[in-house]
Amino acid sequence: MLAVHCGEVAYEEALRWQRLLVAARRDGEIDDVLLTLTHDPVYTAGRHANVAEHVLRTTDIRVVPIDRGGDVTYHGPGQLVAYPITELAHAKAVRPYVEALEEACIRTAASFGLDATADRERTGVWVGTAKLAAIGVRIDGRVTSHGLAFNVDPDLNHFTGIVPCGISDRGVTSLAALGVETSVLEVRRRLVSALGTALDKPIHQASPADIGLTAAPA
């Protein structure tokens, strides 16, 4: 799997990249790819999101409807996002795949001394009753896209504009809020390694240019 760190990328541009990579992976033109990046502030709404009820107030943060599972979530600076573009072995591998993403986040949290857990009823990774990492995926012809968002040090106030993932009785947290001083790049290093282990795929570093990714003209 090629691990490609892209820096900060506008959400819509990253979405375009994912669609290009999914098509290329489905056609056998590329191997598995893991994009890691951060986004500008944005709310994203999955296929079955209740936008009317779960976006709580008008802000200058835009809402982007997308084709992953899950409800409404937030992306922004200080949050590490990982998008694996990988071909699953068979149609029944979706749940094990999601569990592998959860396990990688749990191992990453543990490397900072935190006891994080998964909840089968409420997808994601939690420390107590607060979500540390959100997960939402799409499967297209057994090829995955979207993925996970791990809160390193985002502005948690931005989560108050929505009902995160449609869950009103639990909160959101971050490594910084839990007393961990680190950087997005350090979390990336640990999370990429953990994803390689959880997905049972050797990791090789690459650049966006290595896989033909360029930003669209403004």
Side-chain angles (χ1 to χ4, degrees):
M1 175 176 275
L2 295 177
V4 181
H5 188 52
C6 306
E8 183 172 311
V9 180
Y11 187 83
E12 292 86 346
E13 182 70 346
L15 188 60
R16 184 180 72 87
W17 285 357
Q18 288 184 78
R19 289 169 176 162
L20 291 172
L21 292 171
V22 166
R25 185 67 185 92
R26 193 175 55 237
D27 293 342
E29 297 172 359
I30 60 171
D31 201 347
D32 294 333
V33 173
L34 171 62
L35 300 181
T36 55
L37 56 153
T38 61
H39 289 306
D40 55 323
V42 62
Y43 296 134
T44 66
R47 292 189 303 275
H48 305 298
N50 188 340
V51 174
E53 293 188 10
H54 294 163
V55 178
L56 301 179
R57 57 187 171 82
T58 302
T59 71
D60 58 358
I61 298 177
R62 68 195 185 283
V63 179
V64 179
I66 55 172
D67 54 4
R68 61 158 170 77
D71 207 282
V72 179
T73 194
Y74 166 77
H75 296 306
Q79 181 191 71
L80 176 64
V81 179
Y83 295 137
I85 313 297
T86 181
E87 186 172 40
L88 301 180
H90 48 78
K92 294 184 178 180
V94 176
R95 184 63 212 176
Y97 170 71
V98 171
E99 291 173 350
L101 300 187
E102 291 173 334
E103 180 60 28
C105 292
I106 290 169
R107 291 180 183 179
T108 301
S111 74
F112 290 104
L114 298 176
D115 183 16
T117 59
D119 183 337
R120 190 175 180 89
E121 299 302 318
R122 298 179 175 186
T123 301
V125 172
W126 306 79
V127 177
T129 59
K131 181 174 283 190
L132 178 63
I135 294 173
V137 303
R138 174 177 169 81
I139 312 297
D140 183 0
R142 291 195 290 115
V143 177
T144 68
S145 59
H146 299 285
L148 66 91
F150 195 108
N151 295 329
V152 182
D153 189 16
D155 184 346
L156 294 181
N157 287 326
H158 286 163
F159 286 94
T160 65
I162 58 173
V163 178
C165 303
I167 300 171
S168 60
D169 61 345
R170 294 192 180 188
V172 177
T173 192
S174 66
L175 292 181
L178 293 167
V180 176
E181 294 186 9
T182 188
S183 66
V184 168
L185 286 177
E186 177 58 23
V187 176
R188 177 193 181 266
R189 184 185 70 80
R190 300 188 192 196
L191 180 63
V192 167
S193 176
L195 283 167
T197 299
L199 295 171
D200 193 24
K201 294 181 181 295
I203 297 292
H204 306 282
Q205 300 296 326
S207 71
D210 290 335
I211 56 172
L213 294 182
T214 57

